[in-house]
Amino acid sequence: MKMTKIYEGSHQWIMFGRDEGKPNNIIDTNQYVVRTANRCLLLDPGGAELFAPMMAAVLHHAPVDQITDLFASHQDPDVISSLGLWDQALTNAKLHAPAIWEGFLRHYSCESIEYVPIPDNGGTIKLESVELQIIPAHYLHSPGNFHVYDPQAKILMSGDVGAAIEGPDSPVFVDNFAAHVEKMRYWHQRWMPSNQAKRVWIERVRNLDIDILAPQHGRMFKGDDVKRFLDWFDALQVGIAV
Amino acid sequence: MTNQTKSQFIAVASITSELSAVMVVAKEISLAAANAKAIAFRAGDKAKGFQPITDFINELAKETIELVTNINIYALVLYRLTVDEFQKTAAYNKFELAAKMAEGAVYAKSMQEPVDHARLSMQDCQRQFKRDVSQLLGQLEAVMHHARAARVIAANSRIEASQAGEYLQSLQAVAESVDKAAHTIHDNVQRCRIALSIYRNS
Ligand SMILES: [Fe+2]
Ligand SMILES: [Fe+2]
């Protein structure tokens, strides 16, 4: 599992991905960790298949008992099917996840972890002195979907928005936006169901000061590429399967 | 899933299916008993010896149904335990793998506690499963006992039927169906016991 520190300040952001041990037939995912002095938040911790490499990678940054928070942007298996395993490994943790998915996500088993339901209008996650904003992103692509914004680090973790299917050796940041577009087009057209939801989300996100847009698959966008992505997404027609 | 867990799932599932067949047959016996009672009533003195037997058959069928109902509840507990054990074993294996992959990591040692904890709860499950299997085997033994008793009664019924004159055939048919049902119950329960016996507490 490759680890890339993407923010270092009063706290840290680390991106985990490009897992070389991953079976070929499951989709590659990026996991993000927010580390404060004594706590640790895993954003979209990943599938059950990824649990062991992910746990091992996190142990480079935090001990098990300091993994206190998990966040699931939505209900997909690539996002959170590892929940049942975290549930048995962690003794004092919370899962922040969409309220409407609670009854579904509990199928993965969530007994020792406390499920903190996120209402439709979002909320915050407080990690010691760091306050992260939970930004609604419903229907992008899931009916109950959230992103996480860190105003201090200026990072927006954007779930499946901004995702691309990439090879295991690809760089973690977009280096040529024009070339990258082709890797994203079908994904966004096919997975994102609603032009209206997209418009509302873009409006909301344009008001945020973002240095890094960090999706759950593919590469992160940095600096001007963030705006490039928003413009490109704005012009794209989605929901093409009907 | 290992072969061991697979066969454990199959063993537990087979109890439920075998027992539902036992239930059907036990209800048949109960019906046969009611039927026999009516015939014996009509036959009057000719079937005097048959009358107490019908009550006995009925009683036996009722007890068997009750026992099987209880065992089914138990089988459900056993099923849940199997699921639990499967999950705990999977977790333990993943935790061990994570600990191995974390070798050299600053906080690798912190994985030891979850590993130990997972091992203990997995072993707890295994022990509980064995204990419950032993109990279930005891209950199955009781059903077998009933089935054997039913066969003895069926043999007696045949003798009594032979003295019932024109009612001979219908009473014999009753004896026949009780015997057949008892046989089926015996066989089904025996299969349950064989499937479970490898898990019993040794
Ligand atoms: Fe998804
Ligand atoms: Fe995804």
Side-chain angles (χ1 to χ4, degrees):
Chain A
M1 183 85 73
K2 208 162 148 183
M3 301 181 248
T4 315
K5 202 167 281 178
I6 56 173
Y7 176 76
E8 172 106 66
S10 72
H11 59 289
Q12 301 176 336
W13 275 74
I14 307 130
M15 178 249 204
F16 299 75
R18 313 287 190 267
D19 179 31
E20 57 291 330
K22 167 190 90 62
N24 278 331
N25 50 6
I26 64 173
I27 188 167
D28 190 35
T29 50
N30 304 330
Q31 291 70 236
Y32 298 91
V33 166
V34 180
R35 173 72 169 136
T36 57
N38 302 299
R39 284 173 67 181
C40 191
L41 160 70
L42 314 189
L43 302 167
D44 285 0
E49 202 60 53
L50 208 80
F51 171 82
M54 184 57 193
M55 174 65 107
V58 174
L59 293 178
H60 286 272
H61 304 274
V64 175
D65 63 337
Q66 289 187 13
I67 306 174
T68 52
D69 296 81
L70 308 179
F71 165 81
S73 61
H74 60 294
Q75 84 296 354
D76 268 348
D78 65 326
V79 168
I80 189 67
S81 63
S82 56
L83 178 58
L85 293 161
W86 293 107
D87 190 51
Q88 291 184 63
L90 309 178
T91 45
N92 181 32
K94 290 182 165 84
L95 169 69
H96 308 264
I100 65 162
W101 287 120
E102 178 166 355
F104 298 73
L105 282 174
R106 284 189 181 279
H107 275 280
Y108 287 132
S109 177
C110 181
E111 278 155 36
S112 73
I113 290 180
E114 181 194 342
Y115 193 109
V116 183
I118 307 169
D120 277 352
N121 60 353
T124 55
I125 299 175
K126 231 177 126 47
L127 220 58
E128 299 187 268
S129 62
V130 178
E131 193 170 281
L132 304 166
Q133 299 173 6
I134 305 173
I135 310 288
H138 305 307
Y139 303 105
L140 295 172
H141 64 92
S142 164
N145 210 130
F146 293 101
H147 296 159
V148 170
Y149 177 63
D150 180 343
Q152 208 175 319
K154 297 183 182 164
I155 296 173
L156 177 70
M157 189 280 183
S158 61
D160 282 331
V161 175
I165 305 297
E166 287 276 8
D169 303 320
S170 65
V172 293
F173 281 103
V174 171
D175 44 14
N176 179 344
F177 187 81
H180 193 64
V181 158
E182 285 320 307
K183 296 179 188 160
M184 301 191 292
R185 188 188 308 279
Y186 182 73
W187 171 277
H188 289 82
Q189 286 181 323
R190 181 65 183 86
W191 280 104
M192 304 301 155
S194 160
N195 287 307
Q196 192 195 336
K198 179 178 66 104
R199 210 164 36 241
V200 170
W201 179 83
I202 290 172
E203 237 165 73
R204 187 174 294 139
V205 166
R206 280 200 202 277
N207 289 325
L208 305 173
D209 185 8
I210 302 171
D211 275 352
I212 295 176
L213 184 94
Q216 196 222 351
H217 309 275
R219 305 190 196 190
M220 294 175 282
F221 302 79
K222 208 186 200 167
D224 290 343
D225 281 338
V226 175
K227 189 182 174 308
R228 274 188 203 109
F229 171 76
L230 295 177
D231 291 344
W232 170 82
F233 193 33
D234 206 0
L236 190 75
Q237 284 295 309
V238 301
I240 58 160
V242 285
Chain B
M1 203 185 272
T2 63
N3 284 337
Q4 152 88 28
T5 14
K6 249 186 222 165
S7 48
Q8 192 170 315
F9 268 113
I10 293 166
V12 172
S14 74
I15 303 170
T16 322
S17 80
E18 300 282 6
L19 288 185
S20 68
V22 167
M23 204 62 145
V24 171
V25 172
K27 282 176 185 158
E28 270 169 28
I29 295 186
S30 170
L31 213 68
N35 201 14
K37 206 175 171 116
I39 299 168
F41 183 74
R42 258 182 284 139
D45 276 355
K46 287 178 194 156
K48 223 181 168 75
F50 209 91
Q51 276 166 3
I53 291 176
T54 59
D55 290 334
F56 206 69
I57 296 172
N58 191 33
E59 203 55 37
L60 209 60
K62 254 171 52 193
E63 277 173 22
T64 306
I65 290 168
E66 215 167 284
L67 261 171
V68 172
T69 308
N70 279 335
I71 293 174
N72 265 329
I73 294 167
Y74 228 91
L76 200 65
V77 171
L78 220 53
Y79 174 73
R80 291 216 183 99
L81 215 52
T82 306
V83 174
D84 211 25
E85 188 188 327
F86 168 64
Q87 282 170 345
K88 298 248 159 82
T89 308
Y92 171 65
N93 291 334
K94 295 263 190 209
F95 290 6
E96 279 233 293
L97 180 63
K100 220 178 112 198
M101 292 176 92
E103 265 171 35
V106 191
Y107 302 104
K109 277 214 176 72
S110 70
M111 197 57 211
Q112 197 54 49
E113 207 182 301
V115 169
D116 290 344
H117 187 261
R119 186 193 303 109
L120 285 180
S121 46
M122 175 183 77
Q123 287 165 345
D124 261 0
C125 264
Q126 287 163 348
R127 264 193 299 273
Q128 183 67 40
F129 185 81
K130 282 189 172 164
R131 258 199 303 272
D132 285 1
V133 162
S134 295
Q135 294 223 22
L136 192 72
L137 281 169
Q139 287 177 310
L140 289 171
E141 175 60 43
V143 178
M144 294 278 275
H145 193 80
H146 277 70
R148 277 193 289 264
R151 296 202 67 190
V152 172
I153 293 170
N156 285 341
S157 309
R158 251 189 234 110
I159 297 166
E160 292 297 335
S162 66
Q163 285 152 26
E166 73 263 39
Y167 295 99
L168 178 129
Q169 270 195 341
S170 36
L171 286 178
Q172 234 166 21
V174 168
E176 210 56 55
S177 71
V178 169
D179 190 52
K180 219 179 113 207
H183 208 93
T184 310
I185 292 177
H186 187 278
D187 285 359
N188 284 26
V189 173
Q190 182 67 349
R191 275 200 295 274
C192 285
R193 293 176 70 210
I194 291 168
L196 283 180
S197 58
I198 51 168
Y199 302 107
R200 89 172 329 140
N201 240 338
S202 44

